[in-house]
Amino acid sequence: MNQMSWPPQVPPGPPPMPVPPPMPLAFSGSRGEFFDLAKRGSALEFVTLGFYRFWLLTDIRRHLWSNTLVDGDATEYTGRGKELLIGFLVALAILVPIYLGYFLIGLEAERYQAFASIPLIVFFYLFGQFAIYRARRYRLTRTVWRGVRFWMTGSGWAYALQASLWGLAMIFTLGLILPWRTAALERYKMRHSHFGDLQGRFEGRGWEFFKRGWWLWLLTPIALYISPIAPFVYAGYKAIEWRWWLSGIRFGDVRLESSLPKSALIGLYWKVIGWMALLGLVFAIYLGLCALLVASMSGEGVTAFFKTPDLMRSIPLLVLFGLGYLVMALAMNVVMRVYLTRDLWVIVLGSVNIIGIEAAANVVARGDLANALGEGFADGLDVGGF
Amino acid sequence: MTMEGDAPEISQTPPNAAIYFDGTSSRRRAVTLRFADRLEIADHEQTLATWDYTEIRRADGPSGMLRLGCPTASALARLEVRDTALAAELTSRCTRLDENMPGRRGVAVIVGWSVAAAVSIVCVVLFGLPMIADRLAPLVPDAFERRLGEVADGQIKKLFDAKTCDNPAGQKAFVKLVTAIRESAGLDTSVQSGVLSSPIPNAFALPGGRVYLFNGLLAKADNPDEIAGVLAHELGHLKHRDSMRGLIRDGSTSFLIGLLFGDITGSSALIFGSRTLVTSSHSREAETNADGFAIEIMHRLGRPAKPTGELLLRVTGKEGKGLSIISSHPLSEDRLARMSREDRSASKPPLLTPEEWRSLKSICDTKI
């Protein structure tokens, strides 16, 4: 199921077949290649203390984009790691004084009441939403298909304001309003998205989303107590969201449709959990072996060593622990990227059908590039979106 | 177009066939390539574009396809070649095909600069920030520091659910003790101090001249000298403005480490670990200085310093030898050893009478 990839067009055979290829979307990348990419990227991330993340993210996107064939022609990602780095540095330059100001304002507020500065988090929520919008704009303007780029207008702050008001409504309705929030925000994003001179729009209705997923809302409190069902609930939610989102996307007369089953992603999440458990086990065994090794070298005898608090104070042991921890964290990164980025991409892509692609046969190129400031903020504030 | 091609298995495609997108529209054109002194891209008789071989660059394409662009001609124009022979012919002519791709050298540059950045950040955190904090702390206006103290005060009282103990007799004894120490420490009357009702055996100093003693520490103490040493230690922090310095230093350390090394899964544990190492080494230094200050004060008061060390050891228990680089305080054994080493026998009368000491011990009892 994870290995869905199709040969790129050109059906062999002498009989003249004027029928267009029945597969409007295909993925041609090999899993091994992506695995190598993720492995190498994680190792470099380790060596560069995380700075390589900008280039790794770019490489991952380039791989996924360039192997995604729409109507037989592959898309292309033209963003570069350096742009992300610059975006991050600019965001840093803006965020540092804001953090400082936040600290001072918080101090002033706390003088009147302890913990009064918490409402200022609202401000950061606003900033996070701005980042989500602008990050999407960056990604979209780096997406090229048939020599024409996607582009996006609209105001990140207007979006952030809308998102925050909806967020307030979310609190009052205990999250029940989520489908309408997502629909409204997506309408704003898609209304301002373009492919050349084709304008985008979003036709998904909040009600549709609600009808498909309301039972998940009921299950969520239960899942919080009985954790084994949480992956099922989350995977179900993601599948419903993907299908609903994709089925609502329009560019001019081009329409997308997705037939992603609710159960499509459950396997992925359990595989990730399985790998996590396995890696955790390996790490635990490694810790045990390290402790034994250090204990036997301490010369005090193994049982005596374990009884003293020296166990937690031995420098070689701590260094070994730290190294093991790092390797485990990097391995987990690779697992997450292979399953939750690449495999998810392939599964979701396989469910999509495009109707009316002829409308995109002769689109006039338009639109400009956007800067990576949004991605920088998203990185600095740890928010994500798609 | 019909003619006999080099690739007879695809009968309809002419030789040197490729797909071309001109970058101004999404029209897909089947073109033929002519290798003149520049690359000519032609649709039948009409030449659509001519590209310099040296200006042609590789663009990302799916596996099994060569995708080219020519940034100087048109940013997004793309030429797609699936035929391997033609692709080989093209790549042999275009000498600077991969110039824009970050190759091995590009990665080496990234790694090199990252390591340089990491080294400089570590240096700033280890040497730069403490120096900046030392210079900045005295410049912070007293009013601001007092405000910080008020904030921390409110939070701590809420956090520990602690009330100020002040039954008259106990308070009188406490004030007498604090005043004696404060005067010999050369601090003015802006110092505020009090006993808080909490079973935790601890004492601390807040920015803006506040010193608090938890009732739990009083309960563990056997004589006034033990408590006097602890109070002198905390006043030492005030005198050196350690909390303000610590705030500037630790705040900016966390901020720097957290912002720059974000985003690796599990990095929060790493950030926490490295921060603990850095801040605790600074904090140990400050504690050692405060201990020195306390010893000096006790000498001036003509009282022994050793009891304080004994109280500390009683509170923490034996901490064992070995690694102490992650603890915020020096080991209690070492502190006791130092206080014993520099101890002098009592040369003046006790700071509190037995009567006053009893009142102080029961300062948190509401009824007397």
Side-chain angles (χ1 to χ4, degrees):
Chain A
M1 174 148 194
N2 300 321
Q3 299 285 358
M4 279 200 280
S5 59
W6 299 276
Q9 54 158 212
V10 195
M17 295 246 294
V19 194
M23 233 120 34
L25 270 178
F27 190 76
S28 69
S30 85
R31 200 156 185 265
E33 199 184 319
F34 185 87
F35 183 56
D36 289 341
L37 185 81
K39 255 188 329 199
R40 181 172 167 271
S42 278
L44 280 169
E45 236 183 334
F46 175 45
V47 176
T48 60
L49 294 162
F51 279 112
Y52 193 74
R53 62 182 183 268
F54 307 110
W55 286 271
L56 176 61
L57 198 62
T58 302
D59 283 347
I60 286 176
R61 287 179 190 164
R62 282 172 60 191
H63 174 89
L64 293 178
W65 264 242
S66 65
N67 282 302
T68 298
L69 285 84
V70 182
D71 197 28
D73 291 315
T75 54
E76 190 184 327
Y77 180 78
T78 59
R80 290 295 173 258
K82 203 193 264 177
E83 293 169 346
L84 292 184
L85 174 68
I86 293 170
F88 171 74
L89 292 178
V90 174
L92 209 61
I94 296 173
L95 281 180
V96 169
I98 288 182
Y99 271 114
L100 257 180
Y102 173 75
F103 170 72
L104 293 178
I105 294 173
L107 206 63
E108 207 49 45
E110 290 267 350
R111 209 154 65 99
Y112 298 104
Q113 187 165 10
F115 301 105
S117 64
I118 289 169
L120 285 169
I121 288 167
V122 169
F123 175 76
F124 280 94
Y125 183 78
L126 207 69
F127 233 93
Q129 295 300 321
F130 171 79
I132 287 175
Y133 189 84
R134 294 290 295 265
R136 170 125 161 215
R137 185 150 127 190
Y138 171 81
R139 287 195 294 271
L140 205 65
T141 58
R142 269 23 176 218
T143 303
V144 175
W145 181 61
R146 291 185 172 165
V148 174
R149 84 161 51 90
F150 286 83
W151 52 290
M152 205 166 165
T153 57
S155 146
W157 288 118
Y159 176 86
L161 191 68
Q162 248 185 67
S164 303
L165 291 177
W166 276 104
L168 212 61
M170 282 276 282
I171 295 172
F172 290 126
T173 58
L174 298 174
L176 204 56
I177 211 167
L178 175 87
W180 288 275
R181 174 183 193 264
T182 317
L185 294 181
E186 203 49 49
R187 270 199 297 277
Y188 185 85
K189 282 187 205 147
M190 284 305 299
R191 195 165 63 229
H192 292 96
S193 301
H194 306 255
F195 172 64
D197 58 357
L198 286 188
Q199 193 184 6
R201 63 187 187 284
F202 186 72
E203 287 187 351
R205 300 261 147 245
W207 177 241
E208 281 298 314
F209 192 6
F210 180 78
K211 263 201 306 200
R212 281 191 213 158
W214 62 270
W215 50 278
L216 288 174
W217 185 75
L218 291 179
L219 277 178
T220 309
I222 305 171
L224 289 179
Y225 283 102
I226 312 164
S227 41
I229 71 163
F232 289 105
V233 171
Y234 188 70
Y237 166 72
K238 287 314 270 185
I240 290 172
E241 190 187 29
W242 274 109
R243 178 176 173 168
W244 170 80
W245 179 65
L246 285 164
S247 300
I249 292 178
R250 308 282 179 266
F251 274 99
D253 289 332
V254 184
R255 298 170 47 217
L256 261 61
E257 219 175 58
S258 168
S259 56
L260 194 68
K262 288 188 190 74
S263 57
L265 306 179
I266 292 173
L268 277 187
Y269 284 100
W270 278 109
K271 276 180 205 159
V272 170
I273 291 170
W275 274 106
M276 297 274 168
L278 190 67
L279 287 171
L281 190 69
V282 170
F283 184 54
I285 293 172
Y286 167 82
L287 289 192
L289 287 178
C290 286
L292 270 180
L293 184 75
V294 174
S296 61
M297 282 179 20
S298 72
E300 279 176 52
V302 173
T303 39
F305 183 75
F306 276 101
K307 273 183 194 148
T308 58
D310 289 0
L311 182 66
M312 288 321 294
R313 295 225 165 127
S314 137
I315 292 176
L317 196 59
L318 278 180
V319 169
L320 285 174
F321 278 11
L323 277 178
Y325 175 81
L326 273 177
V327 171
M328 186 191 65
L330 290 174
M332 282 193 180
N333 267 344
V334 174
V335 167
M336 303 243 276
R337 282 183 181 126
V338 167
Y339 285 101
L340 297 184
T341 306
R342 193 261 171 195
D343 285 353
L344 185 90
W345 180 276
V346 174
I347 289 176
V348 169
L349 211 63
S351 77
V352 177
N353 190 21
I354 304 181
I355 300 154
I357 192 73
E358 310 82 61
N362 197 0
V363 167
V364 177
R366 270 203 208 144
D368 283 321
L369 288 173
N371 60 33
L373 177 66
E375 294 262 7
F377 277 134
D379 190 78
L381 293 167
D382 270 333
V383 293
F386 64 101
Chain B
M1 192 168 237
T2 53
M3 63 166 75
E4 286 178 17
D6 303 332
E9 71 275 6
I10 309 168
S11 52
Q12 285 124 322
T13 33
N16 293 351
I19 301 293
Y20 177 66
F21 298 102
D22 64 7
T24 56
S25 98
S26 70
R27 227 176 107 195
R28 184 177 211 267
R29 293 164 187 266
V31 293
T32 48
L33 302 182
R34 282 199 294 264
F35 296 108
D37 42 330
R38 299 167 87 202
L39 178 69
E40 291 178 6
I41 300 164
D43 187 1
H44 296 91
E45 298 313 310
Q46 183 197 358
T47 303
L48 297 174
T50 51
W51 288 358
D52 260 336
Y53 291 117
T54 51
E55 297 297 331
I56 294 176
R57 300 284 180 274
R58 191 194 297 274
D60 295 338
S63 27
M65 179 216 269
L66 177 69
R67 188 184 257 171
L68 301 173
C70 180
T72 48
S74 158
L76 292 179
R78 291 289 182 268
L79 188 66
E80 297 182 355
V81 180
R82 285 198 175 274
D83 182 54
T84 40
L86 181 59
E89 167 94 47
L90 260 169
T91 36
S92 69
R93 283 170 192 266
C94 305
T95 46
R96 300 167 69 184
L97 203 57
D98 290 310
E99 203 143 89
N100 287 358
M101 295 284 163
R104 236 165 236 286
R105 262 195 67 198
V107 171
V109 168
I110 295 168
V111 171
W113 280 109
S114 303
V115 171
V119 168
S120 79
I121 289 163
V122 167
C123 286
V124 166
V125 164
L126 284 184
F127 308 111
L129 289 182
M131 218 170 74
I132 292 172
D134 287 350
R135 300 281 185 284
L136 271 185
L139 299 180
V140 175
D142 281 344
F144 180 79
E145 201 175 328
R146 265 201 298 282
R147 190 166 296 174
L148 267 180
E150 279 167 38
V151 170
D153 194 30
Q155 285 191 344
I156 277 175
K157 280 185 185 158
K158 242 182 198 166
L159 217 58
F160 291 105
D161 193 26
K163 280 193 200 67
T164 314
C165 296
D166 54 355
N167 76 47
Q171 186 64 22
K172 202 176 153 213
F174 184 68
V175 169
K176 183 182 170 194
L177 188 61
V178 171
T179 312
I181 301 164
R182 182 175 59 72
E183 279 170 356
S184 84
L187 285 159
D188 60 19
T189 49
S190 69
V191 174
Q192 298 177 32
S193 54
V195 180
L196 296 181
S197 63
S198 166
I200 301 163
N202 206 350
F204 55 89
L206 293 178
R210 279 162 202 257
V211 170
Y212 285 116
L213 198 61
F214 279 144
N215 191 26
L217 195 66
L218 270 180
K220 291 218 171 192
D222 289 342
N223 60 59
D225 289 334
E226 295 180 352
I227 293 297
V230 171
L231 285 172
H233 172 98
E234 299 305 335
L235 286 178
H237 282 314
L238 285 191
K239 181 106 182 178
H240 299 141
R241 303 187 81 154
D242 282 333
S243 38
M244 196 63 227
R245 263 209 319 239
L247 196 75
I248 297 174
R249 197 182 51 216
D250 299 349
S252 35
T253 302
S254 312
F255 184 72
L256 264 183
I257 298 182
L259 260 185
L260 287 160
F261 301 156
D263 212 46
I264 318 180
T265 309
S267 63
S268 44
L270 284 179
I271 291 170
F272 180 76
S274 47
R275 206 173 56 201
T276 312
L277 277 181
V278 173
T279 55
S280 53
S281 84
H282 293 320
S283 136
R284 275 198 309 280
E285 200 187 312
E287 295 300 330
T288 309
N289 287 342
D291 275 352
F293 185 79
I295 292 169
E296 198 194 313
I297 295 298
M298 294 309 276
H299 287 168
R300 262 186 236 162
L301 289 170
R303 300 300 306 170
K306 196 180 167 195
T308 307
E310 283 163 349
L311 172 64
L312 290 173
L313 195 60
R314 205 177 305 139
V315 167
T316 59
K318 250 184 119 62
E319 294 186 294
K321 50 182 183 301
L323 183 77
S324 60
I325 53 171
I326 52 169
S327 9
S328 61
H329 287 62
L331 295 178
S332 295
E333 289 94 317
D334 296 345
R335 295 173 76 179
L336 172 59
R338 177 176 177 206
M339 287 177 187
S340 315
R341 202 168 51 241
E342 299 178 25
D343 197 26
R344 288 181 205 165
S345 52
S347 59
K348 286 183 189 164
L351 296 165
L352 294 179
T353 63
E355 180 70 17
E356 285 167 329
W357 173 238
R358 267 196 304 280
S359 314
L360 178 58
K361 290 263 289 181
S362 57
I363 189 170
C364 285
D365 298 349
T366 37
K367 53 177 190 285
I368 291 199

